[in-house]
Amino acid sequence: IGQGAARSGLGDQGRSEIETQGRSVHLALLAVLKMKRNGNIAIRFITRSSPANEAVEGRESRAGDPGVRFLPITVELKKPGSPPPRGSADDEAVLPAVFAQWFSSRGWTPRRHQLKMVQKALAGKSALLIAPTGGGKTLAGFLPSLIELSGRAPSAEGAGLHTLYISPLKALAVDVALNLTAPIAEMNLPVSVESRTGDSSVAKKQRQRVNPPDILLTTPEQLALFCAWEGSRLYFRDLKTVIIDEVHALHASKRGDLLALGLARLEQFAPGVRRVGLSATVNDPDLIRRWLGSEVDLVLGDPGAPPVVDVLLSQGHVPWAGHTAQHAMAEVYDAIRQTRTALVFVNTRWQAE
């Protein structure tokens, strides 16, 4: 605080008031790493200025000492998990300027659950995010990693793998990798993203072992192979976050058992690694949270738009047999063309094509 002798010392720790003396501008910097017992902390600055009759807007003078000015500056620090104060703007404050500008350039506003996931990451907590389809939950899962990687100092030895994304579908892992490159390129972030599936070439897999990307997207089977590799302990030692997408489709299956073993192995390689689960369909959130780990917070996304259910009545000849819907393909395609975004669920690969 202030200059020279105006600095506060170790003897001021734990005191309710700290008095310092100094000339020129006073600046207070408050850093709180973990608040276990503290509730709200209020900070008030008192300055002495001259001349005594100087008008200072928004400040009061103490009776009998017109040279004392009160700066009505209050900083409130909340306990983790406490509800934000009414009218608080601490939601978007967790986003660095480059990320806030990126949202604004696209005409978007960060969703509440996306900012909540950033807050959980800043607190070092694992989390299960349940948000409706189209609610930006994938971006919410990666946003904390992108923020941390954007501010990471370069290392002479080369940084190791930071975030591991696990998907039940290899096609989804590849698609997410492509979708991540857009915001990374638009914000000019020093972040590398690669996928690793059964279709990846041998040369690519060998290169990833030597030069790991910042974010690797893969499947439970590839993780099992990775954990069996003799160099896995060194490879995953810098791992900070594991993101499990569509976690509802994995936890209650043999693939989920295989993944649980892999997660336990990663915990040995990188103690304290955060686990993040993403899903739009969870009947029992507490069950998924227990599967993810011992201490996993639940983050719920805002509900989507109310559903409007319509039935497309085909005007063509409907056959008595066959369930491929080939007779209605032209009408389904016309309905898709009339929308900006269409998500189509089908029963067979042929229908999808």
Side-chain angles (χ1 to χ4, degrees):
I1 306 178
Q3 298 178 349
R7 299 178 184 273
S8 59
L10 294 177
D12 293 319
Q13 292 185 2
R15 296 177 54 187
S16 60
E17 294 183 2
I18 301 175
E19 181 179 354
T20 64
Q21 296 180 357
R23 303 182 63 181
S24 187
V25 177
H26 277 60
L27 173 65
L29 173 63
L30 178 68
V32 177
L33 299 180
K34 290 185 178 180
M35 299 177 59
K36 295 182 179 179
R37 294 185 300 272
N38 293 334
N40 293 337
I41 297 179
I43 304 173
R44 184 178 61 177
F45 298 90
I46 303 176
T47 65
R48 296 178 183 270
S49 60
S50 62
N53 59 357
E54 178 183 0
V56 182
E57 182 180 358
R59 303 176 186 177
E60 299 177 356
S61 298
R62 179 183 301 175
D65 190 357
V68 178
R69 306 279 192 252
F70 292 85
L71 277 68
I73 302 176
T74 301
V75 179
E76 293 185 354
L77 301 176
K78 307 182 302 300
K79 288 182 179 180
S82 61
R86 184 178 302 176
S88 172
D90 62 344
D91 286 342
E92 297 190 25
V94 299
L95 283 183
V98 63
F99 288 85
Q101 293 171 3
W102 178 75
F103 274 97
S104 178
S105 66
R106 287 187 163 232
W108 296 348
T109 300
R111 295 177 182 265
R112 183 189 59 82
H113 59 270
Q114 293 173 334
L115 299 173
K116 199 69 176 178
M117 292 297 287
V118 176
Q119 293 173 347
K120 295 296 182 183
L122 292 176
K125 296 182 177 180
S126 299
L128 168 63
L129 172 60
I130 302 176
T133 300
K137 63 178 178 294
T138 303
L139 178 59
F142 282 105
L143 196 56
S145 296
L146 294 177
I147 292 175
E148 185 173 348
L149 287 169
S150 66
R152 184 175 62 178
S155 175
E157 300 178 356
L161 181 65
H162 180 280
T163 299
L164 181 67
Y165 169 90
I166 300 174
S167 166
L169 301 174
K170 61 182 179 181
L172 182 58
V174 175
D175 186 59
V176 170
L178 295 175
N179 292 335
L180 266 182
T181 56
I184 291 175
E186 292 171 0
M187 288 184 283
N188 196 24
L189 302 179
V191 179
S192 58
V193 179
E194 293 185 6
S195 62
R196 182 188 181 96
T197 67
D199 296 335
S200 301
S201 65
V202 175
K204 181 179 181 180
K205 293 180 179 179
Q206 292 177 346
R207 176 179 55 78
Q208 288 175 344
R209 288 185 175 184
V210 178
N211 297 313
D214 296 318
I215 301 176
L216 181 64
L217 302 96
T218 188
T219 61
E221 290 75 17
Q222 289 296 317
L223 176 60
L225 294 175
F226 243 132
C227 290
W229 173 43
E230 59 183 4
S232 57
R233 183 178 297 274
L234 183 63
Y235 189 87
F236 290 109
R237 65 178 180 180
D238 296 324
L239 186 65
K240 298 296 187 298
T241 304
V242 179
I243 302 173
I244 306 170
D245 204 354
E246 305 295 344
V247 64
H248 66 277
L250 284 171
H251 79 98
S253 63
K254 293 182 178 179
R255 298 182 74 197
D257 297 338
L258 180 66
L259 178 56
L261 293 174
L263 294 176
R265 190 66 171 155
L266 290 178
E267 185 69 30
Q268 297 294 321
F269 298 155
V273 60
R274 287 196 323 114
R275 300 183 183 186
V276 176
L278 306 176
S279 179
T281 307
V282 174
N283 292 327
D284 190 350
D286 291 337
L287 177 63
I288 304 295
R289 291 168 61 192
R290 290 193 298 269
W291 182 85
L292 282 172
S294 57
E295 297 182 2
V296 179
D297 290 354
L298 177 63
V299 177
L300 297 177
D302 296 328
V308 178
V309 181
D310 293 325
V311 177
L312 176 61
L313 298 178
S314 177
Q315 301 301 317
H317 172 71
V318 180
W320 287 103
H323 304 280
T324 62
Q326 184 175 4
H327 65 280
M329 286 296 181
E331 293 165 298
V332 172
Y333 182 62
D334 184 63
I336 295 175
R337 292 176 59 187
Q338 298 177 20
T339 63
R340 292 185 57 187
T341 304
L343 182 61
V344 184
F345 292 89
V346 295
N347 295 326
T348 65
R349 175 66 176 268
W350 181 89
Q351 288 177 314
E353 295 175 348

